[in-house]
């Protein structure tokens, strides 16, 4: 536990040191980055230790605020989320130091570095807090520090808007959490989570508590329709912040839901099914939204909605299976979901960081202005391609390993469960198969349009390759993705205690439910290795053959079209057009405005396309506008005169006193 | 490992490596015969491969290393998927619960690489083919999952070798209608995944209407040999699955198993040839309907099992 506290202290110290060193930006960046990297390394040790041993670390310190206690505990569930935070924190911070180099002279850099280190510290605190007040305090501090990080480029109106959307969403979500913990704390007579867990929520209806948690934490997790802030905030933030937000901050929402589940009585089937449906809706909606985006980082943000959806669906499967009395299936699904938490943190971290390097080199996030970047930034290109393959759940990467586990869990359910439950599992499996097919479309689109072919703009043509300071940290992440894909057994052994804690099962039983196929030297890794070996052998054969027979270079075959130009390449919009216009539901289709060329000698033509998010256009947009309209009517009361305002205060006070007197009279 | 088992493994690998290029030859021969022509020799693809391997390659100036990833990963994925397919009268070389998801994952990896290789040339037509390929694949994959799910549910087994193994005859006896629906859907998916009529026309000469062929327009020499070989192996994988399903497990020992498998593969290739002779390619907008139809058919089969 002392290592964890040291990590927190180091992060806080680094944060304020960086603020103090604002006048010497180079040193400030070095101090903040050094503190973050060292703290993450320190924090990783106890987290992995807890998972390896299956025990828990506990610490209580005296704390002054009323009703609160500084009670920390790293149990397996917390450690399962701390590991990706610290593991991703190291490469993200190192990349950040490179990414911030052009900003060295900027005002506000010290504050940004301070907010970054504090952000990591508050995230670590959220996972370990064992007291509801402490948890909420850390939660709010996390929201505020990440808001500051998102608004780093606040000169741009778009970024200010993104920051505002994020802040409002966070606070609305937090309101539900306050309600939830007030209810639970009142029942338990204490805000300590141990006390709340001891009474199992008391007289609070489990459905109410679950719903409050689902809304409050679901905002952070990006569950539909509360995902609105994600595609706004992720592209606005600097890339290493997007990586940590997408990899870990979003998972804090999932962690919150799971933590509340462990506090309440074992959830009924309905709760599991609700999670499953929400997850599937998020997965399908998120990936369809990703298909239409022209902004590289926005597309990645939409894919975060998809991945959180996938793992939420797996958690829903786990809870339903447990309620239906098949613990082996529940264990497998929970293990798969937690494994996906790790995998997504690594692969999405890699994707955001390499996208950051691409954006850094081309000065644009617009896919249609990229192209041909592999030839110019080969290292970054290869890493981005690896991230795309992992996110499309392809072997040999880690995304495939966790998705394989989720599919296997659903297959078992579909084969063995009777009646409706079996049919539900089969339908969920079909939906997830569709999601993985669409993910392949989305990521071939990103990688193909951004990296391959001819450059589509002058910026892309003149892009320069960054040095190893940029891609070094990414290489480590890519290797981690590959390692978890080839040897999932080691990670599953570590995660088994966390899944066991969630489902009240012994870790050995959870691990056994995954079957022998995923273990080291099991059949699954052997199949993936055979694939790698075959690919390597064929590649060597091909190279030898080309060396012996020679290679000629020529133009791409233009199908009879003689004046090839980069402008005839298939664009990002056209790549996904067939699916979006013919198969996507009308709600999710992009709005296109086309002015076709007319006449015998065609004149100018126009094509405009805008992606719409039904949650924004149909739900929250009208809702917020209607609310604003109502409140505008109250504006008449606010005249701006001081004496009137004082009168209002007096009247309110008198009314409250009268109310109290009336209530206590009889 | 006993000598017997080693021999059997050797036979399975040999079949997987050597046999696939024969299938397109049978398809072409059937099509020619139906049209009243003599047709190319049965071993035409072997000759083509031998010729391509001896050639040098012409590479586009736009293309980079990813361009070669397509043929290599495509062929490696198909071959690795072949390891998961049950052999003649025996389980697959690699068999474990949930191996069907590894099979689809390997095929998806091959498709991913082929699509990127097509985009690497910067050609408008290849980009178009690539977009169509992934779009249709995203619909074919769920349907394929449901098909395999039906087989799993009917037999109570979780691995391909188990599903298409000794438990299959009993499942046919009990669930014949559902398995028949599933076999039909699987056949449609085999046509779609292997870019055959009615989804894609492998012999068309108009780039605008192609899907799979247009993606590999720029490949030549050893690269193109790998593309053709990978496609043949993929056809073999689907053919072997369907043959096992239709023939109810194809015998017990090696010899009857091998005969059964060969007969089943020949029947499959003949059926593909007959479909290609009797139908035209569907309009592009109809293809999703065909794929979704196959998915609905197999989902219906699943409902029959759950009922």
């Amino acid at each position: 536990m002392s290592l964890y506290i040291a990590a927190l202290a180091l992060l806080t110290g680094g944060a304020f040191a960086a603020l103090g060193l604002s006048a010497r930006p180079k040193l400030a960046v070095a101090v903040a980055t050094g503190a973050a990297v060292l703290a993450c390394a320190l924090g990783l040790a106890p987290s992995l230790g807890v998972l390896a041993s299956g025990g828990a670390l506990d610490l209580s310190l005296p704390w002054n605020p009323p009703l609160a206690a500084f009670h920390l505990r790293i149990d397996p569930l917390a450690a399962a989320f701390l590991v990706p935070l610290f593991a991703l924190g190291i490469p993200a911070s190192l990349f950040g130091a490179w990414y911030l180099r052009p900003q060295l002279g900027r005002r506000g850099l010290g504050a940004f570095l301070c907010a970054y280190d504090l952000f990591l510290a508050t995230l670590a605190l959220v996972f370990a807090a064992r007291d509801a007040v402490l948890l909420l305090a850390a939660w709010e501090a996390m929201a505020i520090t990440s808001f500051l990080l998102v608004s780093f480029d606040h000169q741009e109106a778009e970024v200010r808007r993104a920051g505002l959307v994020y802040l409002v969403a966070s606070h609305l979500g937090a309101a539900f959490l306050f309600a939830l913990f007030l209810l639970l704390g009142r029942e338990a007579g204490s805000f300590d989570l141990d006390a709340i867990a001891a009474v199992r929520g008391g007289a609070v209806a489990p459905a109410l508590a679950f719903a409050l948690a689902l809304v409050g934490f679901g905002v952070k997790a990006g569950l539909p329709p509360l995902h609105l802030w994600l595609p706004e905030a992720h592209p606005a933030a600097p890339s290493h912040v997007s990586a940590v937000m997408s990899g870990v901050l979003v998972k804090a929402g999932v962690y919150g839901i799971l933590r509340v589940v462990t506090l309440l009585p074992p959830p009924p089937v309905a709760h599991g099914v609700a999670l499953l449906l929400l997850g599937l809706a998020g997965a399908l909606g998120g990936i369809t939204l990703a298909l239409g985006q022209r902004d590289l980082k926005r597309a990645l943000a939409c894919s975060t909605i998809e991945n959180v959806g996938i793992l939420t669906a797996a958690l829903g499967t786990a809870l339903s299976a447990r309620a239906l009395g098949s613990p082996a299936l529940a264990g497998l699904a929970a293990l798969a979901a937690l494994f996906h938490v790790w995998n997504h943190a690594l692969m999405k971290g890699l994707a955001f960081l390499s996208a950051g390097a691409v954006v850094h080199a081309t000065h644009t996030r617009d896919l249609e202005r990229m192209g041909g970047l592999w030839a110019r930034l080969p290292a970054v290109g290869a890493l981005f391609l690896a991230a795309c393959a992992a996110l499309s759940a392809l072997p040999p990467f880690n995304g495939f390993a966790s998705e394989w586990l989720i599919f296997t869990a659903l297959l078992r359910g579909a084969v063995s469960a009777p009646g409706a439950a079996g049919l539900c599992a089969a339908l969920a499996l079909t939906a997830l198969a569709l999601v993985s097919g669409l993910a392949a479309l989305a990521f071939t689109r990103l990688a193909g349009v951004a990296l391959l072919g001819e450059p589509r703009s002058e910026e892309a043509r003149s892009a320069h390759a960054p040095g190893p300071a940029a891609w070094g940290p990414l290489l480590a992440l890519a290797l981690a993705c590959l390692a978890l894909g080839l040897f999932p057994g080691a990670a599953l052994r570590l995660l088994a205690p966390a899944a066991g804690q969630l489902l009240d099962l012994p870790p050995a039983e959870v691990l056994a439910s995954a079957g022998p196929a995923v273990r080291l030297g099991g059949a699954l890794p052997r199949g993936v290795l055979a694939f790698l070996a075959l690919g390597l052998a064929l590649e060597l054969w091909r190279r030898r053959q080309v060396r012996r027979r020679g290679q000629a270079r020529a133009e791409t075959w233009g199908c009879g079209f003689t004046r090839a130009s980069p402008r005839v390449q298939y664009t990002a919009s056209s790549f996904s057009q067939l699916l979006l216009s013919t198969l996507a539901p009308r709600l999710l289709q992009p709005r296109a405005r086309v002015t076709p060329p007319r006449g015998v000698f065609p004149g100018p033509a126009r094509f405009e396309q805008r992606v719409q998010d039904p949650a924004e256009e149909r739900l929250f947009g009208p809702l917020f506008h209607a609310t604003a309209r109502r409140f505008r009517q109250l504006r008449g009361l606010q005249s701006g005169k001081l004496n009137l305002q004082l009168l209002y205060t007096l009247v309110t006070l008198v009314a409250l006193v009268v109310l109290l007197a009336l209530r206590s009279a009889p | 490992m006993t000598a017997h088992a080693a021999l059997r493994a050797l036979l399975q690998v040999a079949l997987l490596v050597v046999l696939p290029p024969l299938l397109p030859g049978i398809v072409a021969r059937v099509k020619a015969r139906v049209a009243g022509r003599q047709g190319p020799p049965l071993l035409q693809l072997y000759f083509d491969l031998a010729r391509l391997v001896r050639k040098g390659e012409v590479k586009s100036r736009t293309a980079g290393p990813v361009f070669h990833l397509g043929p290599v990963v495509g062929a490696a994925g198909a071959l690795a998927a072949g390891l998961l397919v049950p052999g003649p009268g025996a389980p697959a070389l690699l068999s474990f619960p949930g191996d069907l998801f590894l099979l689809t994952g390997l095929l998806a990896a091959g498709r991913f690489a082929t699509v990127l290789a097509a985009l690497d040339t910067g050609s408008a037509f290849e980009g178009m083919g690539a977009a169509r390929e992934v779009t249709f694949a995203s619909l074919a994959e769920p349907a394929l999952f449901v098909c395999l799910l039906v087989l799993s549910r009917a037999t109570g087994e979780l691995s391909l070798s188990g599903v298409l193994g000794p438990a299959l005859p009993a499942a046919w006896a009990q669930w014949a209608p559902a398995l028949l629906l599933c076999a039909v859907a699987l056949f449609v998916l085999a046509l779609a995944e292997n870019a055959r009529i009615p989804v894609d026309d492998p012999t068309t000469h108009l780039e605008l209407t192609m899907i799979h062929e247009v993606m590999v327009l720029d490949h030549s020499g050893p690269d193109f040999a790998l593309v053709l070989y990978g496609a043949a192996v993929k056809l073999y994988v689907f053919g072997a699955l369907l043959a096992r399903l239709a023939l109810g497990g194809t015998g017990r020992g090696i010899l009857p198993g091998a005969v059964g498998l060969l007969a089943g593969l020949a029947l499959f290739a003949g059926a593909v040839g007959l479909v290609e002779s009797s139908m035209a390619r569907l309009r592009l907008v109809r293809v999703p309907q065909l794929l979704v139809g196959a998915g609905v058919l197999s989902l219906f089969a699943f409902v029959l099992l759950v009922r």
Side-chain angles (χ1 to χ4, degrees), chain B residues 1 18 21 38 53-54 64 82-83 111 143 160 168 172 191 200 214 216 230 240 253 264 277 289:
Chain B
M1 195 192 280
V18 177
Q38 176 73 31
V53 163
R54 277 185 275 114
L83 297 178
R111 186 182 308 118
L160 283 172
L168 196 56
W172 267 110
L191 293 178
D200 187 11
V214 75
V216 297
S277 310
Q289 295 172 1

Side-chain angles (χ1 to χ4, degrees), chain A residues 177-216:
Chain A
L177 295 183
F178 279 105
L180 168 69
F181 284 111
L182 278 176
L183 283 176
L184 290 178
R186 198 179 57 180
E187 286 298 319
S190 156
F191 284 107
D192 198 275
L193 294 189
D194 283 338
I196 295 175
V199 299
R200 286 277 175 188
V204 182
L208 175 66
F210 187 71
L212 285 173
L214 215 50
V215 176

Side-chain angles (χ1 to χ4, degrees), chain A residues 216-244:
Chain A
F217 289 116
V219 170
K220 269 287 184 305
L223 293 181
L226 308 168
H227 61 265
L228 272 192
W229 65 272
L230 263 149
E232 300 287 335
H234 282 66
S239 287
H240 61 297
V241 177
S242 320
V244 179

Side-chain angles (χ1 to χ4, degrees), chain A residues 432-573:
Chain A
L432 286 183
L434 182 59
V435 168
S436 85
L438 293 177
L441 179 59
F443 288 105
T444 46
R445 174 176 174 267
L446 291 189
V449 172
L451 302 176
L452 307 177
E454 291 282 346
R456 292 157 201 272
S457 71
E458 206 35 58
E459 295 100 308
R461 191 176 297 281
S462 55
H464 287 293
W471 54 258
L474 308 191
L475 188 63
L477 272 177
L479 290 177
C481 286
L482 199 58
L484 283 188
L486 287 177
F487 310 108
L492 294 183
R493 180 177 305 236
L494 287 176
L495 283 169
Q501 187 192 354
L502 189 64
L503 300 167
D504 298 322
L505 287 174
E509 201 175 308
V510 173
L511 198 59
S513 70
V518 288
R519 275 186 214 139
L520 194 66
L524 181 70
R526 264 191 289 152
V528 176
L529 282 173
F531 166 56
L532 273 187
L534 276 169
L536 204 65
L538 287 178
E539 171 67 16
L540 289 177
W541 172 81
R542 194 196 63 76
R543 287 199 175 179
R544 206 191 62 141
Q545 213 62 20
V546 169
R547 242 197 337 270
R548 278 170 53 186
R549 309 284 177 185
Q551 184 190 58
R553 301 299 292 242
E555 290 306 315
T556 297
W557 165 236
C559 308
F561 191 74
T562 49
R563 296 209 13 218
S565 99
R567 291 186 57 200
V568 305
Q569 287 181 101
Y570 231 45
T571 60
S573 315

Side-chain angles (χ1 to χ4, degrees), chain A residues 5-30:
Chain A
I5 294 295
L8 281 190
L10 203 55
L11 282 171
T12 320
F16 290 108
L19 197 58
L21 289 168
S22 289
R24 303 184 57 191
K26 250 186 186 164
L27 193 61
V29 170

Side-chain angles (χ1 to χ4, degrees), chain A residues 414 417 436 454 551-552 555-556, chain B residues 57 59-62 98 141 153:
Chain A
S436 85
E454 291 282 346
Q551 184 190 58
E555 290 306 315
T556 297
Chain B
E57 68 171 2
K59 189 177 169 184
S60 158
R61 287 199 187 91
T62 306
E141 197 164 284
R153 176 100 194 179

